[in-house]
Amino acid sequence: VRLTAALGELAHALEDSSPKVRGAAAEALGRLGPAARGAYPALLHVSKSDPEAGPRNKASIAAIMVGMP
């Protein structure tokens, strides 16, 4: 239950107004690896559409680390 809640919070943080928060959330999801596979669509979205390069790059790496669902 805790992991599910944490994944939801991190996925929500991918939409934060701060690029630092979005990037940190992507990194955290990536570190969780396959356990965060449910966040793959959100990571993919950020990797393609975030206005800042930092979160885009971190989300791209995280998407690879969590893997496709």
Side-chain angles (χ1 to χ4, degrees):
V1 174
R2 285 184 180 173
L3 179 58
T4 303
L7 289 174
E9 291 293 323
L10 289 169
H12 182 70
L14 291 172
E15 300 173 6
D16 195 88
S17 62
S18 167
K20 288 184 179 185
V21 171
R22 295 191 306 273
E27 284 183 328
L29 288 164
R31 278 189 238 115
L32 290 172
R37 195 162 279 151
Y40 181 84
L43 288 166
L44 192 61
H45 175 75
V46 171
S47 74
K48 292 182 177 187
S49 65
D50 197 281
E52 300 284 335
R56 275 196 317 268
N57 294 338
K58 290 176 181 181
S60 294
I61 293 167
I64 292 167
M65 294 171 74
V66 303
M68 289 178 33

